[in-house]
Amino acid sequence: MTTYDYAIIGAGIAGASLAAELGEAGASVLLLEAEDHPGYHSTGRSAAFWEECYGGPQLVPLTLASGAHLRDNGFLRPRGALYIGRAQDKAALDSFMDRFAGTGATIERIGREPIAARVAGLREKWTDAIWEPACADIDVARLHEHYLARANKAGTTLVCRSAVIQADRTGGAWSLECSNGNTYASCTLVNAAGAWADTIAELVGARPLGIQPLRRTVAQLRTDPAPLPDQPLVLDISGSFYFKPEAGRVWLSPHDEEPSAPCDAAPEELAVAQAIDRFQQVVDCNVVAVERKWAGLRSFAPDRLPVYGMDPQVEGLAWFAGQGGFGIQTSPAAARLAAQLLTGSPRDAVTEGIDAAIYSPGRFA
């Protein structure tokens, strides 16, 4: 039986990007996916954008370090973002500006006139905003395929329909029994299982870290009038909605974070109705039809920061999980950093300014 250097559980954006980095560093990698194809859950359902402030100030270094790779390889489409508010939201807008001062994020405060010029039909009560010009849409499918192709070229073995059902470690290696009837061996096991990260931890005898899946709902609306194609991403400074144009339609979310068991997430009708109600309080237009609706799970550690590195208690177990909704926009730098932590390689130009200690699983020990 082949003993791989690394077996990664989960072939979404996390597992695929890490497999590419480890493979290109010369490691032998096994990538195990429980579903029929990679990216079925959160990765395949993301309305992702590269947004410098998303996830908070401690995520800005990962986001900025990922920007060049995403831009240079054509995965970004310029969009811009507006965090909008009303008169009563002044304190929240002031706090946002203060939190991100000095992080390197490019943001500026703007008033009613430039907001209305960017958002057609904006209602009068929305008078203040923070403008983030660098925000861009991410071509998630192409990015995911990019990582899978790099991993494949580097020799990664991808096996789908292979949920790990038993894991034992003896003699310095893991024996992994999978639902496809096969057993695999690896020196290091990487938990990149997204919403199932704590489930996998329990399976392999590790302490769960409290990584909680949260359901996020998105709906595609046909509106009259249709949105302007160059309209920015619009987010409520209080966190109750976001929307953006997509191929002549509006993609809209109530910014919900409903705790969920790990599952094949489905949208709730109430969440869709709440989103539409909030949207119509922002812009004056008619919602003609809800053409599509979907949901995905975004998984967070208790402090809402990602978890990268070796488990402090279980030998041969690594974490690459808890990446919330920012896993796609930070994937280039996050995967490079995690690969360096796992292999003991030195930092490079991408990761040299990132404090890995704040993402370590040891912080929960």
Side-chain angles (χ1 to χ4, degrees):
M1 179 189 299
T2 299
T3 299
Y4 294 89
D5 294 324
Y6 298 91
I8 302 174
I9 300 178
I13 198 75
S17 58
L18 183 56
E21 290 289 342
L22 288 171
E24 289 169 354
S28 59
V29 181
L30 171 68
L31 185 56
L32 296 171
E33 171 56 51
E35 302 294 345
D36 291 346
H37 58 82
Y40 175 78
H41 290 286
S42 297
T43 299
R45 307 177 192 196
S46 174
F49 31 82
W50 186 82
E51 198 262 279
E52 292 172 303
C53 299
Y54 189 59
Q58 290 176 300
L59 268 299
V60 173
L62 283 171
T63 300
L64 294 181
S66 298
H69 182 84
L70 296 173
R71 279 190 297 270
D72 294 348
N73 288 281
F75 299 119
L76 298 185
R77 180 177 61 191
R79 170 68 61 194
L82 281 171
Y83 284 87
I84 64 172
R86 301 149 296 183
Q88 61 264 39
D89 298 316
K90 182 180 184 301
L93 289 158
D94 290 342
S95 175
F96 188 101
M97 292 293 294
D98 290 342
R99 287 175 65 218
F100 288 94
T103 63
T106 304
I107 53 176
E108 65 173 301
R109 195 74 169 266
I110 62 173
R112 166 72 195 185
E113 186 174 336
I115 307 170
R118 292 178 170 94
V119 184
L122 185 72
R123 296 190 183 276
E124 291 293 329
K125 61 183 178 181
W126 301 95
T127 57
D128 205 352
I130 294 165
W131 171 238
E132 188 185 311
C135 179
D137 297 338
I138 303 175
D139 190 334
V140 179
R142 278 190 60 228
L143 179 62
H144 190 213
E145 286 297 326
H146 162 81
Y147 283 126
L148 290 171
R150 283 174 53 190
N152 180 65
K153 185 176 180 180
T156 293
T157 300
L158 169 63
V159 186
C160 294
R161 296 183 290 278
S162 55
V164 177
I165 57 177
Q166 186 171 333
D168 300 292
R169 186 171 177 84
T170 56
W174 291 94
S175 176
L176 307 171
E177 183 181 339
C178 293
S179 58
N180 61 4
N182 293 330
T183 299
Y184 305 94
S186 73
C187 297
T188 300
L189 179 62
V190 182
N191 185 354
W196 284 263
D198 270 4
T199 302
I200 293 298
E202 291 180 323
L203 178 69
V204 303
R207 184 173 69 88
L209 300 185
I211 294 177
Q212 174 64 58
L214 303 173
R215 189 184 67 239
R216 170 61 51 86
T217 305
V218 182
Q220 177 176 295
L221 310 180
R222 179 157 51 92
T223 62
D224 183 21
L228 299 174
D230 59 350
Q231 184 170 293
L233 169 69
V234 178
L235 309 99
D236 176 21
I237 192 62
S238 300
S240 68
F241 62 78
Y242 66 78
F243 59 88
K244 69 169 188 172
E246 183 69 28
R249 301 294 190 258
V250 172
W251 279 13
L252 167 70
S253 173
H255 215 272
D256 51 334
E257 290 191 341
E258 189 68 28
S260 170
C263 65
D264 187 353
E268 295 286 342
E269 292 296 336
L270 178 59
V272 175
Q274 289 173 332
I276 293 172
D277 178 66
R278 295 168 188 175
F279 173 70
Q280 293 186 311
Q281 292 181 39
V282 179
V283 293
D284 182 13
C285 74
N286 295 319
V287 175
V288 178
V290 177
E291 295 184 331
R292 292 174 57 209
K293 52 193 173 184
W294 64 96
L297 298 180
R298 307 157 71 253
S299 302
F300 289 94
D303 59 5
R304 297 182 73 89
L305 295 178
V307 185
Y308 307 145
M310 300 302 297
D311 189 278
Q313 297 174 328
V314 177
E315 181 186 3
L317 175 65
W319 292 77
F320 193 52
Q323 299 191 68
F326 44 78
I328 295 171
Q329 72 171 38
T330 61
S331 56
R336 180 71 57 83
L337 175 65
Q340 290 166 350
L341 293 173
L342 269 55
T343 61
S345 301
R347 299 295 187 86
D348 62 6
V350 174
T351 62
E352 61 184 356
I354 299 172
D355 180 6
I358 64 173
Y359 310 131
S360 169
R363 70 188 191 267
F364 298 109

PDB file of all heavy atoms in Angstrom, residues 11-44:
ATOM      1  N   ALA A  11     -12.203  18.302  -0.624  1.00  0.00           N
ATOM      2  CA  ALA A  11     -11.637  18.815  -1.873  1.00  0.00           C
ATOM      3  C   ALA A  11     -12.313  20.089  -2.338  1.00  0.00           C
ATOM      4  O   ALA A  11     -12.354  20.387  -3.527  1.00  0.00           O
ATOM      5  CB  ALA A  11     -11.716  17.750  -2.963  1.00  0.00           C
ATOM      6  N   GLY A  12     -12.852  20.848  -1.383  1.00  0.00           N
ATOM      7  CA  GLY A  12     -13.318  22.190  -1.711  1.00  0.00           C
ATOM      8  C   GLY A  12     -12.124  23.101  -1.946  1.00  0.00           C
ATOM      9  O   GLY A  12     -10.995  22.644  -2.156  1.00  0.00           O
ATOM     10  N   ILE A  13     -12.363  24.413  -1.886  1.00  0.00           N
ATOM     11  CA  ILE A  13     -11.280  25.358  -2.175  1.00  0.00           C
ATOM     12  C   ILE A  13     -10.131  25.183  -1.193  1.00  0.00           C
ATOM     13  O   ILE A  13      -8.954  25.311  -1.554  1.00  0.00           O
ATOM     14  CB  ILE A  13     -11.796  26.810  -2.174  1.00  0.00           C
ATOM     15  CG1 ILE A  13     -10.822  27.750  -2.891  1.00  0.00           C
ATOM     16  CG2 ILE A  13     -12.082  27.298  -0.764  1.00  0.00           C
ATOM     17  CD1 ILE A  13     -10.827  27.644  -4.372  1.00  0.00           C
ATOM     18  N   ALA A  14     -10.437  24.841   0.059  1.00  0.00           N
ATOM     19  CA  ALA A  14      -9.381  24.675   1.057  1.00  0.00           C
ATOM     20  C   ALA A  14      -8.493  23.486   0.703  1.00  0.00           C
ATOM     21  O   ALA A  14      -7.275  23.621   0.547  1.00  0.00           O
ATOM     22  CB  ALA A  14      -9.993  24.498   2.450  1.00  0.00           C
ATOM     23  N   GLY A  15      -9.098  22.320   0.583  1.00  0.00           N
ATOM     24  CA  GLY A  15      -8.315  21.124   0.301  1.00  0.00           C
ATOM     25  C   GLY A  15      -7.605  21.176  -1.031  1.00  0.00           C
ATOM     26  O   GLY A  15      -6.437  20.750  -1.151  1.00  0.00           O
ATOM     27  N   ALA A  16      -8.269  21.703  -2.065  1.00  0.00           N
ATOM     28  CA  ALA A  16      -7.665  21.769  -3.393  1.00  0.00           C
ATOM     29  C   ALA A  16      -6.460  22.702  -3.418  1.00  0.00           C
ATOM     30  O   ALA A  16      -5.416  22.383  -4.010  1.00  0.00           O
ATOM     31  CB  ALA A  16      -8.703  22.219  -4.417  1.00  0.00           C
ATOM     32  N   SER A  17      -6.586  23.873  -2.794  1.00  0.00           N
ATOM     33  CA  SER A  17      -5.475  24.828  -2.800  1.00  0.00           C
ATOM     34  C   SER A  17      -4.289  24.293  -1.998  1.00  0.00           C
ATOM     35  O   SER A  17      -3.129  24.432  -2.417  1.00  0.00           O
ATOM     36  CB  SER A  17      -5.926  26.183  -2.245  1.00  0.00           C
ATOM     37  OG  SER A  17      -6.432  26.068  -0.926  1.00  0.00           O
ATOM     38  N   LEU A  18      -4.568  23.646  -0.859  1.00  0.00           N
ATOM     39  CA  LEU A  18      -3.475  23.101  -0.058  1.00  0.00           C
ATOM     40  C   LEU A  18      -2.814  21.919  -0.769  1.00  0.00           C
ATOM     41  O   LEU A  18      -1.588  21.772  -0.729  1.00  0.00           O
ATOM     42  CB  LEU A  18      -3.985  22.683   1.313  1.00  0.00           C
ATOM     43  CG  LEU A  18      -2.929  22.161   2.289  1.00  0.00           C
ATOM     44  CD1 LEU A  18      -1.814  23.180   2.504  1.00  0.00           C
ATOM     45  CD2 LEU A  18      -3.567  21.780   3.622  1.00  0.00           C
ATOM     46  N   ALA A  19      -3.604  21.092  -1.439  1.00  0.00           N
ATOM     47  CA  ALA A  19      -3.031  19.978  -2.199  1.00  0.00           C
ATOM     48  C   ALA A  19      -2.081  20.495  -3.276  1.00  0.00           C
ATOM     49  O   ALA A  19      -1.001  19.927  -3.504  1.00  0.00           O
ATOM     50  CB  ALA A  19      -4.139  19.142  -2.829  1.00  0.00           C
ATOM     51  N   ALA A  20      -2.472  21.578  -3.953  1.00  0.00           N
ATOM     52  CA  ALA A  20      -1.611  22.154  -4.984  1.00  0.00           C
ATOM     53  C   ALA A  20      -0.290  22.629  -4.392  1.00  0.00           C
ATOM     54  O   ALA A  20       0.791  22.353  -4.934  1.00  0.00           O
ATOM     55  CB  ALA A  20      -2.331  23.304  -5.682  1.00  0.00           C
ATOM     56  N   GLU A  21      -0.365  23.344  -3.275  1.00  0.00           N
ATOM     57  CA  GLU A  21       0.852  23.878  -2.664  1.00  0.00           C
ATOM     58  C   GLU A  21       1.751  22.770  -2.134  1.00  0.00           C
ATOM     59  O   GLU A  21       2.973  22.791  -2.329  1.00  0.00           O
ATOM     60  CB  GLU A  21       0.485  24.848  -1.537  1.00  0.00           C
ATOM     61  CG  GLU A  21      -0.136  26.149  -2.006  1.00  0.00           C
ATOM     62  CD  GLU A  21       0.872  27.071  -2.691  1.00  0.00           C
ATOM     63  OE1 GLU A  21       2.097  26.872  -2.517  1.00  0.00           O
ATOM     64  OE2 GLU A  21       0.438  27.991  -3.401  1.00  0.00           O
ATOM     65  N   LEU A  22       1.183  21.777  -1.460  1.00  0.00           N
ATOM     66  CA  LEU A  22       1.996  20.680  -0.931  1.00  0.00           C
ATOM     67  C   LEU A  22       2.602  19.852  -2.059  1.00  0.00           C
ATOM     68  O   LEU A  22       3.776  19.459  -1.998  1.00  0.00           O
ATOM     69  CB  LEU A  22       1.143  19.789  -0.027  1.00  0.00           C
ATOM     70  CG  LEU A  22       0.744  20.382   1.328  1.00  0.00           C
ATOM     71  CD1 LEU A  22      -0.269  19.476   2.026  1.00  0.00           C
ATOM     72  CD2 LEU A  22       1.963  20.590   2.214  1.00  0.00           C
ATOM     73  N   GLY A  23       1.797  19.587  -3.092  1.00  0.00           N
ATOM     74  CA  GLY A  23       2.309  18.817  -4.221  1.00  0.00           C
ATOM     75  C   GLY A  23       3.452  19.520  -4.922  1.00  0.00           C
ATOM     76  O   GLY A  23       4.463  18.894  -5.280  1.00  0.00           O
ATOM     77  N   GLU A  24       3.307  20.822  -5.098  1.00  0.00           N
ATOM     78  CA  GLU A  24       4.362  21.588  -5.769  1.00  0.00           C
ATOM     79  C   GLU A  24       5.615  21.726  -4.895  1.00  0.00           C
ATOM     80  O   GLU A  24       6.696  22.036  -5.405  1.00  0.00           O
ATOM     81  CB  GLU A  24       3.825  22.953  -6.171  1.00  0.00           C
ATOM     82  CG  GLU A  24       2.820  22.861  -7.316  1.00  0.00           C
ATOM     83  CD  GLU A  24       2.058  24.143  -7.574  1.00  0.00           C
ATOM     84  OE1 GLU A  24       2.209  25.118  -6.804  1.00  0.00           O
ATOM     85  OE2 GLU A  24       1.289  24.167  -8.558  1.00  0.00           O
ATOM     86  N   ALA A  25       5.461  21.492  -3.595  1.00  0.00           N
ATOM     87  CA  ALA A  25       6.621  21.492  -2.691  1.00  0.00           C
ATOM     88  C   ALA A  25       7.310  20.135  -2.668  1.00  0.00           C
ATOM     89  O   ALA A  25       8.288  19.945  -1.936  1.00  0.00           O
ATOM     90  CB  ALA A  25       6.178  21.877  -1.287  1.00  0.00           C
ATOM     91  N   GLY A  26       6.794  19.179  -3.456  1.00  0.00           N
ATOM     92  CA  GLY A  26       7.432  17.882  -3.566  1.00  0.00           C
ATOM     93  C   GLY A  26       6.828  16.778  -2.731  1.00  0.00           C
ATOM     94  O   GLY A  26       7.334  15.655  -2.723  1.00  0.00           O
ATOM     95  N   ALA A  27       5.724  17.050  -2.036  1.00  0.00           N
ATOM     96  CA  ALA A  27       5.089  16.044  -1.195  1.00  0.00           C
ATOM     97  C   ALA A  27       4.143  15.171  -2.014  1.00  0.00           C
ATOM     98  O   ALA A  27       3.591  15.612  -3.036  1.00  0.00           O
ATOM     99  CB  ALA A  27       4.312  16.716  -0.066  1.00  0.00           C
ATOM    100  N   SER A  28       3.948  13.933  -1.560  1.00  0.00           N
ATOM    101  CA  SER A  28       2.912  13.084  -2.160  1.00  0.00           C
ATOM    102  C   SER A  28       1.608  13.326  -1.402  1.00  0.00           C
ATOM    103  O   SER A  28       1.591  13.338  -0.168  1.00  0.00           O
ATOM    104  CB  SER A  28       3.314  11.614  -2.076  1.00  0.00           C
ATOM    105  OG  SER A  28       3.515  11.190  -0.735  1.00  0.00           O
ATOM    106  N   VAL A  29       0.533  13.564  -2.143  1.00  0.00           N
ATOM    107  CA  VAL A  29      -0.718  14.019  -1.538  1.00  0.00           C
ATOM    108  C   VAL A  29      -1.889  13.173  -2.015  1.00  0.00           C
ATOM    109  O   VAL A  29      -2.043  12.906  -3.214  1.00  0.00           O
ATOM    110  CB  VAL A  29      -0.993  15.509  -1.886  1.00  0.00           C
ATOM    111  CG1 VAL A  29      -2.290  15.984  -1.234  1.00  0.00           C
ATOM    112  CG2 VAL A  29       0.179  16.387  -1.460  1.00  0.00           C
ATOM    113  N   LEU A  30      -2.730  12.789  -1.060  1.00  0.00           N
ATOM    114  CA  LEU A  30      -4.001  12.126  -1.328  1.00  0.00           C
ATOM    115  C   LEU A  30      -5.111  13.103  -0.945  1.00  0.00           C
ATOM    116  O   LEU A  30      -5.116  13.624   0.168  1.00  0.00           O
ATOM    117  CB  LEU A  30      -4.119  10.850  -0.498  1.00  0.00           C
ATOM    118  CG  LEU A  30      -5.472  10.130  -0.501  1.00  0.00           C
ATOM    119  CD1 LEU A  30      -5.769   9.540  -1.881  1.00  0.00           C
ATOM    120  CD2 LEU A  30      -5.509   9.043   0.570  1.00  0.00           C
ATOM    121  N   LEU A  31      -6.034  13.360  -1.865  1.00  0.00           N
ATOM    122  CA  LEU A  31      -7.129  14.292  -1.624  1.00  0.00           C
ATOM    123  C   LEU A  31      -8.430  13.505  -1.624  1.00  0.00           C
ATOM    124  O   LEU A  31      -8.851  12.980  -2.657  1.00  0.00           O
ATOM    125  CB  LEU A  31      -7.131  15.370  -2.715  1.00  0.00           C
ATOM    126  CG  LEU A  31      -8.116  16.531  -2.603  1.00  0.00           C
ATOM    127  CD1 LEU A  31      -7.957  17.277  -1.284  1.00  0.00           C
ATOM    128  CD2 LEU A  31      -7.937  17.495  -3.778  1.00  0.00           C
ATOM    129  N   LEU A  32      -9.062  13.409  -0.457  1.00  0.00           N
ATOM    130  CA  LEU A  32     -10.269  12.595  -0.287  1.00  0.00           C
ATOM    131  C   LEU A  32     -11.505  13.483  -0.223  1.00  0.00           C
ATOM    132  O   LEU A  32     -11.559  14.441   0.556  1.00  0.00           O
ATOM    133  CB  LEU A  32     -10.173  11.775   1.005  1.00  0.00           C
ATOM    134  CG  LEU A  32      -9.052  10.737   1.064  1.00  0.00           C
ATOM    135  CD1 LEU A  32      -8.942  10.158   2.463  1.00  0.00           C
ATOM    136  CD2 LEU A  32      -9.284   9.635   0.035  1.00  0.00           C
ATOM    137  N   GLU A  33     -12.502  13.160  -1.042  1.00  0.00           N
ATOM    138  CA  GLU A  33     -13.747  13.923  -1.113  1.00  0.00           C
ATOM    139  C   GLU A  33     -14.928  12.978  -0.932  1.00  0.00           C
ATOM    140  O   GLU A  33     -15.036  11.968  -1.631  1.00  0.00           O
ATOM    141  CB  GLU A  33     -13.847  14.654  -2.452  1.00  0.00           C
ATOM    142  CG  GLU A  33     -15.180  15.307  -2.745  1.00  0.00           C
ATOM    143  CD  GLU A  33     -15.594  16.289  -1.666  1.00  0.00           C
ATOM    144  OE1 GLU A  33     -14.795  17.171  -1.292  1.00  0.00           O
ATOM    145  OE2 GLU A  33     -16.744  16.156  -1.189  1.00  0.00           O
ATOM    146  N   ALA A  34     -15.821  13.309  -0.001  1.00  0.00           N
ATOM    147  CA  ALA A  34     -16.960  12.441   0.293  1.00  0.00           C
ATOM    148  C   ALA A  34     -18.023  12.477  -0.808  1.00  0.00           C
ATOM    149  O   ALA A  34     -18.737  11.491  -1.022  1.00  0.00           O
ATOM    150  CB  ALA A  34     -17.590  12.834   1.627  1.00  0.00           C
ATOM    151  N   GLU A  35     -18.128  13.605  -1.516  1.00  0.00           N
ATOM    152  CA  GLU A  35     -19.187  13.766  -2.514  1.00  0.00           C
ATOM    153  C   GLU A  35     -18.755  13.227  -3.881  1.00  0.00           C
ATOM    154  O   GLU A  35     -17.611  12.809  -4.067  1.00  0.00           O
ATOM    155  CB  GLU A  35     -19.582  15.243  -2.621  1.00  0.00           C
ATOM    156  CG  GLU A  35     -20.055  15.862  -1.323  1.00  0.00           C
ATOM    157  CD  GLU A  35     -21.358  15.278  -0.805  1.00  0.00           C
ATOM    158  OE1 GLU A  35     -22.060  14.582  -1.571  1.00  0.00           O
ATOM    159  OE2 GLU A  35     -21.696  15.521   0.374  1.00  0.00           O
ATOM    160  N   ASP A  36     -19.691  13.292  -4.836  1.00  0.00           N
ATOM    161  CA  ASP A  36     -19.410  12.780  -6.178  1.00  0.00           C
ATOM    162  C   ASP A  36     -18.374  13.611  -6.924  1.00  0.00           C
ATOM    163  O   ASP A  36     -17.716  13.117  -7.844  1.00  0.00           O
ATOM    164  CB  ASP A  36     -20.696  12.733  -7.009  1.00  0.00           C
ATOM    165  CG  ASP A  36     -21.669  11.674  -6.527  1.00  0.00           C
ATOM    166  OD1 ASP A  36     -21.248  10.804  -5.729  1.00  0.00           O
ATOM    167  OD2 ASP A  36     -22.841  11.704  -6.944  1.00  0.00           O
ATOM    168  N   HIS A  37     -18.256  14.885  -6.551  1.00  0.00           N
ATOM    169  CA  HIS A  37     -17.276  15.755  -7.209  1.00  0.00           C
ATOM    170  C   HIS A  37     -16.820  16.815  -6.219  1.00  0.00           C
ATOM    171  O   HIS A  37     -17.542  17.138  -5.268  1.00  0.00           O
ATOM    172  CB  HIS A  37     -17.855  16.396  -8.478  1.00  0.00           C
ATOM    173  CG  HIS A  37     -19.091  17.198  -8.231  1.00  0.00           C
ATOM    174  ND1 HIS A  37     -19.052  18.494  -7.777  1.00  0.00           N
ATOM    175  CD2 HIS A  37     -20.406  16.883  -8.370  1.00  0.00           C
ATOM    176  CE1 HIS A  37     -20.302  18.952  -7.647  1.00  0.00           C
ATOM    177  NE2 HIS A  37     -21.133  18.007  -8.002  1.00  0.00           N
ATOM    178  N   PRO A  38     -15.638  17.385  -6.415  1.00  0.00           N
ATOM    179  CA  PRO A  38     -15.120  18.400  -5.498  1.00  0.00           C
ATOM    180  C   PRO A  38     -15.955  19.678  -5.537  1.00  0.00           C
ATOM    181  O   PRO A  38     -16.512  20.050  -6.572  1.00  0.00           O
ATOM    182  CB  PRO A  38     -13.707  18.669  -6.026  1.00  0.00           C
ATOM    183  CG  PRO A  38     -13.359  17.478  -6.840  1.00  0.00           C
ATOM    184  CD  PRO A  38     -14.643  17.002  -7.440  1.00  0.00           C
ATOM    185  N   GLY A  39     -16.022  20.365  -4.398  1.00  0.00           N
ATOM    186  CA  GLY A  39     -16.664  21.675  -4.346  1.00  0.00           C
ATOM    187  C   GLY A  39     -18.170  21.644  -4.334  1.00  0.00           C
ATOM    188  O   GLY A  39     -18.807  22.643  -4.671  1.00  0.00           O
ATOM    189  N   TYR A  40     -18.771  20.521  -3.941  1.00  0.00           N
ATOM    190  CA  TYR A  40     -20.228  20.410  -3.977  1.00  0.00           C
ATOM    191  C   TYR A  40     -20.898  21.337  -2.972  1.00  0.00           C
ATOM    192  O   TYR A  40     -21.970  21.882  -3.246  1.00  0.00           O
ATOM    193  CB  TYR A  40     -20.644  18.965  -3.685  1.00  0.00           C
ATOM    194  CG  TYR A  40     -22.142  18.767  -3.589  1.00  0.00           C
ATOM    195  CD1 TYR A  40     -22.926  18.700  -4.736  1.00  0.00           C
ATOM    196  CD2 TYR A  40     -22.770  18.668  -2.356  1.00  0.00           C
ATOM    197  CE1 TYR A  40     -24.299  18.533  -4.651  1.00  0.00           C
ATOM    198  CE2 TYR A  40     -24.144  18.494  -2.262  1.00  0.00           C
ATOM    199  CZ  TYR A  40     -24.907  18.420  -3.409  1.00  0.00           C
ATOM    200  OH  TYR A  40     -26.269  18.257  -3.322  1.00  0.00           O
ATOM    201  N   HIS A  41     -20.294  21.540  -1.827  1.00  0.00           N
ATOM    202  CA  HIS A  41     -20.948  22.298  -0.750  1.00  0.00           C
ATOM    203  C   HIS A  41     -20.602  23.784  -0.832  1.00  0.00           C
ATOM    204  O   HIS A  41     -20.978  24.448  -1.790  1.00  0.00           O
ATOM    205  CB  HIS A  41     -20.592  21.670   0.606  1.00  0.00           C
ATOM    206  CG  HIS A  41     -21.232  20.325   0.799  1.00  0.00           C
ATOM    207  ND1 HIS A  41     -22.573  20.160   1.070  1.00  0.00           N
ATOM    208  CD2 HIS A  41     -20.708  19.072   0.723  1.00  0.00           C
ATOM    209  CE1 HIS A  41     -22.857  18.859   1.176  1.00  0.00           C
ATOM    210  NE2 HIS A  41     -21.739  18.195   0.970  1.00  0.00           N
ATOM    211  N   SER A  42     -19.883  24.324   0.139  1.00  0.00           N
ATOM    212  CA  SER A  42     -19.700  25.775   0.237  1.00  0.00           C
ATOM    213  C   SER A  42     -19.017  26.381  -0.981  1.00  0.00           C
ATOM    214  O   SER A  42     -19.424  27.435  -1.471  1.00  0.00           O
ATOM    215  CB  SER A  42     -18.896  26.104   1.500  1.00  0.00           C
ATOM    216  OG  SER A  42     -19.606  25.707   2.646  1.00  0.00           O
ATOM    217  N   THR A  43     -17.965  25.733  -1.489  1.00  0.00           N
ATOM    218  CA  THR A  43     -17.224  26.308  -2.613  1.00  0.00           C
ATOM    219  C   THR A  43     -18.113  26.478  -3.833  1.00  0.00           C
ATOM    220  O   THR A  43     -18.084  27.521  -4.504  1.00  0.00           O
ATOM    221  CB  THR A  43     -16.016  25.426  -2.957  1.00  0.00           C
ATOM    222  OG1 THR A  43     -15.142  25.371  -1.827  1.00  0.00           O
ATOM    223  CG2 THR A  43     -15.268  25.967  -4.166  1.00  0.00           C
ATOM    224  N   GLY A  44     -18.921  25.468  -4.144  1.00  0.00           N
ATOM    225  CA  GLY A  44     -19.757  25.522  -5.335  1.00  0.00           C
ATOM    226  C   GLY A  44     -20.973  26.410  -5.211  1.00  0.00           C
ATOM    227  O   GLY A  44     -21.689  26.615  -6.194  1.00  0.00           O
TER     228      GLY A  44
END
